[in-house]
Amino acid sequence: MDTTRGSKEMVILAGNSHPELANLIASRLGKPLGNVSAYHSSNRETMVEIDDSVRGRDAFILQTGTKDVNNNIMELLIMAYACKTSSARNIVGVIPYLPYCKQSKMRKRGCIVSKLLAKMMYKAGLTHIITMDLHQKEIQGFFECPVDNLRASPFLLQYIQESIPDYRNAVIVARDPGSAKKATSYAERLRLGIAVIHGEQKTNEDEQADGRNSPPLVEHSRIMDVGVGVPALAAKEKPPINVVGDVGGRIAIMVDDMIDDVASFVAAAEVLKDRGAYKIYVMATHGLLSSDAPRLIDDSPIDEVVVTNTVPHEIQKMQCHKIKTVDISILLAESIRRIHNNESMSYLFRNVTLED
């Protein structure tokens, strides 16, 4: 009997979130997708049935975050737990876009949801995570298992060099000061200049009141009161929108990790157009493109929106011809192969700095 057979094999399981990407990855690995079905019962409970044996094998579960995010998570957790109870050797979650990664800080009187999700994934049985371009790199510290945070920037840089005519006349634009590090990284690799949009109405959560600035209740105390009290925190005032850097007569390329609500990108594009940019591109890893994003992009000065296929967006592409897709399945397939063969992952991070 060949006792090494099970330990040498892998099984690739895919949820319902992104079947097209799962098929691309399986094709590049030369492996068929495992027989698994995930569906809802009559009472809307998620049911998972795995028909292939996973005993002693490396199980790779492909699932990404989409608009049906909560069902995506339950499918992943149930599949992972099913593999765990079926004695899989390793259970690796391949999650190109990690759901809830924007909720990685304490807000108001809520909680850090991404940490909760990390604990749930680990408890369900995941022993390793492969993901791409986390919204905050510190999220890796929430997991009690190894996390490989891959980068899509080489693919987007290649697109700029091969598909944008006269890209040497471009300038990399940070949509807000918080994106300046990523923009600087792109600019240094392309040997281009950088511009930063300052004064834009921020959409991130940093400006939301969370109650920590509320004055404390007045209480009698034995501590001497000098009559000054707690100084009030001055309210922030947004300066007029301004572009720091020259974009006149240049191609403006905005870079970010995700495009969800496009309103801020459209507002930035209008400012860049007013400052003389003659072409405007938006590059991002995750194209969530929520709400009426296709219509807003179509009516905006943006010439192209380039995203990877970490999240399915075929419907949005049919609604807006400006949306282009870069395939990153080869990177995910190579990471799966290396983990399965116990090879180093450092090759996939070559020439990648912490600012990416």
Side-chain angles (χ1 to χ4, degrees):
M1 179 183 292
D2 183 5
T3 58
T4 63
R5 179 179 177 273
S7 62
K8 295 292 184 183
E9 290 185 353
M10 73 166 75
V11 59
I12 305 172
L13 307 174
N16 294 323
S17 61
H18 203 341
E20 181 185 359
L21 180 61
N23 286 319
L24 284 171
I25 293 172
S27 175
R28 291 186 181 278
L29 289 169
K31 301 278 186 181
L33 288 174
N35 293 320
V36 58
S37 57
Y39 58 93
H40 293 292
S41 63
S42 57
N43 62 356
R44 300 304 296 167
E45 289 183 358
T46 301
M47 309 287 290
V48 171
E49 295 178 0
I50 301 176
D51 297 328
D52 292 339
S53 173
V54 297
R55 182 176 295 274
R57 304 169 77 182
D58 289 342
F60 293 87
I61 304 175
L62 309 179
Q63 187 82 318
T64 192
T66 66
K67 294 181 180 179
D68 194 16
V69 58
N70 294 325
N71 283 326
N72 299 151
I73 292 170
M74 282 307 301
E75 284 182 13
L76 173 64
L77 296 176
I78 295 173
M79 279 193 283
Y81 192 64
C83 291
K84 179 181 178 180
T85 55
S86 298
S87 303
R89 183 177 68 163
N90 293 308
I91 307 169
V92 182
V94 184
I95 314 168
Y97 171 64
L98 184 69
Y100 289 98
C101 64
K102 293 177 73 174
Q103 298 189 50
S104 59
K105 297 179 181 179
M106 181 67 76
R107 299 296 170 206
K108 297 184 179 178
R109 293 167 180 85
C111 66
I112 303 175
V113 183
S114 56
K115 182 173 182 179
L116 170 64
L117 184 59
K119 287 185 172 294
M120 291 168 63
M121 288 181 178
Y122 178 74
K123 290 293 185 182
L126 290 177
T127 60
H128 200 129
I129 301 290
I130 301 173
T131 187
M132 291 195 73
D133 285 332
L134 289 170
H135 189 59
Q136 299 288 342
K137 293 185 290 294
E138 294 79 2
I139 293 173
Q140 294 174 82
F142 295 159
F143 288 86
E144 297 179 43
C145 60
V147 178
D148 286 312
N149 183 27
L150 304 178
R151 306 289 193 270
S153 54
F155 296 89
L156 298 177
L157 289 167
Q158 183 180 26
Y159 183 92
I160 292 173
Q161 293 170 324
E162 296 180 356
S163 302
I164 298 182
D166 195 23
Y167 82 92
R168 290 291 182 188
N169 188 37
V171 59
I172 305 298
V173 179
R175 182 172 54 92
D176 53 50
S179 305
K181 279 189 176 181
K182 181 178 285 289
T184 301
S185 177
Y186 275 73
E188 289 175 349
R189 283 171 170 75
L190 295 168
R191 311 294 190 268
L192 299 176
I194 183 174
V196 180
I197 297 178
H198 178 59
E200 180 186 11
Q201 185 66 35
K202 294 184 179 179
T203 58
N204 62 23
E205 302 87 352
D206 294 336
E207 299 301 319
Q208 296 181 3
D210 58 6
R212 287 177 289 182
N213 296 329
S214 302
L217 296 174
V218 178
E219 296 180 356
H220 296 288
S221 172
R222 290 179 293 177
I223 300 175
M224 182 179 295
D225 186 2
V226 296
V228 177
V230 177
L233 187 66
K236 291 184 179 180
E237 293 185 7
K238 297 285 183 181
I241 294 179
N242 188 31
V243 179
V244 181
D246 182 21
V247 297
R250 312 283 289 277
I251 300 172
I253 304 175
M254 284 189 281
V255 295
D256 213 333
D257 63 322
M258 71 175 68
I259 303 177
D260 189 359
D261 182 7
V262 301
S264 58
F265 289 94
V266 171
E270 291 171 349
V271 173
L272 293 171
K273 199 72 172 179
D274 292 341
R275 298 298 190 276
Y278 72 91
K279 273 194 174 180
I280 301 171
Y281 292 81
V282 178
M283 321 283 292
T285 303
H286 310 297
L288 302 177
L289 302 170
S290 302
S291 189
D292 55 349
R295 180 186 62 80
L296 292 174
I297 293 171
D298 217 22
D299 297 339
S300 74
I302 298 173
D303 292 281
E304 267 188 20
V305 173
V306 183
V307 294
T308 71
N309 56 344
T310 57
V311 177
H313 51 265
E314 291 304 314
I315 296 176
Q316 291 90 331
K317 284 183 70 174
M318 289 189 290
Q319 296 172 343
C320 178
H321 70 282
K322 294 181 179 181
I323 301 172
K324 309 295 181 185
T325 307
V326 176
D327 180 24
I328 45 80
S329 61
I330 187 172
L331 180 60
L332 294 170
E334 179 64 12
S335 64
I336 291 172
R337 188 193 68 79
R338 285 177 174 271
I339 289 175
H340 176 64
N341 294 326
N342 293 321
E343 297 178 14
S344 172
M345 292 286 287
S346 59
Y347 175 80
L348 302 180
F349 297 97
R350 69 194 189 282
N351 300 325
V352 176
T353 61
L354 293 176
E355 288 79 12
D356 281 356

